[in-house]
Amino acid sequence: MLVEISGCFADNMGSQLMLLAIKDHVLDRVPSARFVVTRWFGTWGQRATHGLLTKAVEGRWGLSRLALALMPKSCQRIYGITMNSDVDAVLDASGFAFGDQHGAYPTERMVARAGGWHRKRIPIVLLPQALGPFKGKRIAVAFRKLVEYVDLVYARDPESYSAAVEATGDSERIRMCPDFTNLVPASFVPESESVDLRALIVPNARMLDMTTTEDAIYPQFLHRCTVACRECGIEPTILLHEACEDVAVAQMLNQRLPSPLPVVSHTDPRVLKAMLGNAELVIASRFHALAGALSQAVPCIGTGWSHKYKALFEDYDCQDCLLEVDAHFSEIKGCVQHLVGPQRNRLISRLQMAGESLRQKTRAMWQEIDDI
């Protein structure tokens, strides 16, 4: 069986975690399964690292298309190339691409691709992701067409579910399931890591352009969090969940501190998840950093730029730990004290119970997909 994984990109650790979740599940059911992505996933080396084949772009007829058509299957296998006609099923893990915040183009592009799969009777499932809103006419029309083509759509939270049902009037194919990376096991933290990883601050460069035009407000939030931790006797470390994008935010924070924080990262998302799981406290704005920590019952303070953050903290019954980016210092410090104080064990128990319930929902989702 050849499964196309749509919507994943190598440069995004959350995206890689979704890719790993898909591969783990499918290979557990069908050990001989293979996986294919488009060349937009990343470099050849990044595709090879994950054992992914590359789907050839079958555009208009020309020399490239002719060469592909004449290439024997044995040569295609040698170079890790497959054709669209070889795909047996499609799993989309876009995370958050279909909604007004991203404009109509991503949805319209997916409609064009899904139409081809649908005509060939290839099963298509949109895995749990944030959806909507769909207030714009173009995107609403496109999303309705997309839902007509797919077998199942999983909204990641109630707000996404409501937006999808309102836009399409379809509640048969639209389901709800939490973030499905909660089943991905963590790896191990390399012994070479000599810095203190008990408290981790995970920045997100998207907060600079998604929250406000006032560039300083988000670095100020991180600065307040750092000072609050230090006043509570905790020395934090900056963990880069997206090293390329977020290093600039880490530099902004360290420039504001009399003694800068150490900065760590890793290229393996399972190792990053292990670092988060071993921490006592995580302060983050990266969705999958928060999801990775909460799924391992690590108390978190979060702030974000879309409804998916609010829904995540509601899933884990810790809404009071999601703060506005302009939260006052006293509120942040009070939250830190709450998470490391006498109530900590009770909170961890609550996170463990919520986490197991969410994992059960993810397993039920996979059973529905397996049936398809």
Side-chain angles (χ1 to χ4, degrees):
M1 181 171 70
L2 181 63
V3 178
E4 178 164 350
I5 301 175
S6 169
C8 283
F9 301 96
D11 292 335
N12 183 288
M13 286 297 171
S15 195
Q16 283 199 49
L17 281 167
M18 290 188 281
L19 172 76
L20 291 171
I22 293 168
K23 289 185 62 183
D24 286 352
H25 176 81
V26 175
L27 289 173
D28 184 57
R29 299 299 188 276
V30 187
S32 61
R34 297 175 302 152
F35 304 90
V36 61
V37 294
T38 68
R39 62 190 177 92
W40 304 114
F41 171 83
T43 65
W44 182 90
Q46 289 169 323
R47 297 193 295 272
T49 296
H50 290 286
L52 302 172
L53 302 173
T54 304
K55 191 174 77 170
V57 178
E58 301 177 33
R60 295 179 180 179
W61 280 100
L63 290 178
S64 297
R65 176 93 185 264
L66 180 62
L68 284 169
L70 297 175
M71 183 182 292
K73 288 288 184 182
S74 58
C75 289
Q76 291 180 16
R77 285 195 293 270
I78 289 171
Y79 291 103
I81 298 172
T82 64
M83 310 296 284
N84 198 44
S85 56
D86 298 327
V87 173
D88 297 305
V90 177
L91 295 174
D92 178 81
S94 294
F96 188 21
F98 310 129
D100 289 333
Q101 285 179 295
H102 300 279
Y105 176 73
T107 308
E108 290 173 340
R109 184 172 178 273
M110 187 61 179
V111 167
R113 301 178 69 203
W117 294 319
H118 179 71
R119 286 189 291 273
K120 296 176 181 177
R121 299 182 181 275
I122 295 173
I124 312 165
V125 175
L126 303 192
L127 292 169
Q129 51 194 280
L131 298 167
F134 302 101
K135 300 302 181 184
K137 183 177 180 180
R138 270 182 59 190
I139 195 170
V141 169
F143 189 71
R144 279 197 296 273
K145 180 60 68 175
L146 177 59
V147 172
E148 289 176 13
Y149 288 151
V150 305
D151 294 85
L152 286 174
V153 179
Y154 287 94
R156 202 158 53 190
D157 57 82
E159 190 170 333
S160 295
Y161 177 82
S162 296
V165 171
E166 181 183 349
T168 63
D170 189 336
S171 60
E172 292 296 317
R173 275 172 286 194
I174 300 172
R175 313 287 174 84
M176 194 163 67
C177 182
D179 171 65
F180 64 102
T181 65
N182 55 9
L183 296 182
V184 177
S187 183
F188 64 95
V189 178
E191 293 181 1
S192 59
E193 290 294 352
S194 58
V195 297
D196 188 349
L197 300 178
R198 287 179 301 165
L200 299 174
I201 293 180
V202 188
N204 183 353
R206 292 282 70 76
M207 290 291 293
L208 297 176
D209 48 49
M210 289 293 191
T211 55
T212 176
T213 55
E214 185 182 344
D215 290 345
I217 192 169
Y218 180 56
Q220 285 174 359
F221 173 83
L222 297 178
H223 178 264
R224 294 188 194 107
C225 290
T226 304
V227 175
C229 286
R230 284 176 165 172
E231 289 192 4
C232 292
I234 305 167
E235 184 62 20
T237 294
I238 297 173
L239 175 65
L240 298 180
H241 208 257
E242 308 293 336
C244 292
E245 282 194 314
D246 298 340
V247 65
V249 185
Q251 291 170 350
M252 289 180 191
L253 171 57
N254 273 335
Q255 287 169 1
R256 296 169 179 270
L257 298 170
S259 55
L261 301 178
V263 180
V264 298
S265 188
H266 204 279
T267 57
D268 186 338
R270 293 188 197 265
V271 173
L272 289 173
K273 186 167 183 176
M275 291 178 176
L276 293 163
N278 289 342
E280 295 178 14
L281 171 66
V282 170
I283 300 172
S285 311
R286 279 284 173 189
F287 178 85
H288 275 104
L290 289 164
L294 290 169
S295 67
Q296 298 176 89
V298 176
C300 294
I301 295 173
T303 191
W305 51 271
S306 85
H307 68 271
K308 64 182 182 179
Y309 294 89
K310 177 175 178 288
L312 178 66
F313 276 74
E314 288 175 347
D315 280 344
Y316 284 93
D317 193 20
C318 56
Q319 303 91 305
D320 52 339
C321 297
L322 182 67
L323 305 180
E324 296 295 332
V325 71
D326 58 354
H328 192 271
F329 175 76
S330 60
E331 183 181 5
I332 296 171
K333 185 176 178 180
C335 199
V336 173
Q337 290 172 328
H338 173 67
L339 298 187
V340 299
Q343 300 297 316
R344 175 180 174 81
N345 289 338
R346 187 178 300 176
L347 172 60
I348 289 174
S349 296
R350 208 163 73 225
L351 293 176
Q352 289 171 335
M353 290 178 59
E356 184 51 39
S357 173
L358 294 169
R359 284 187 287 273
Q360 291 289 356
K361 291 179 180 179
T362 302
R363 294 185 188 105
M365 173 204 74
W366 279 121
Q367 183 60 59
E368 290 179 330
I369 295 171
D370 290 344
D371 292 342
I372 290 175

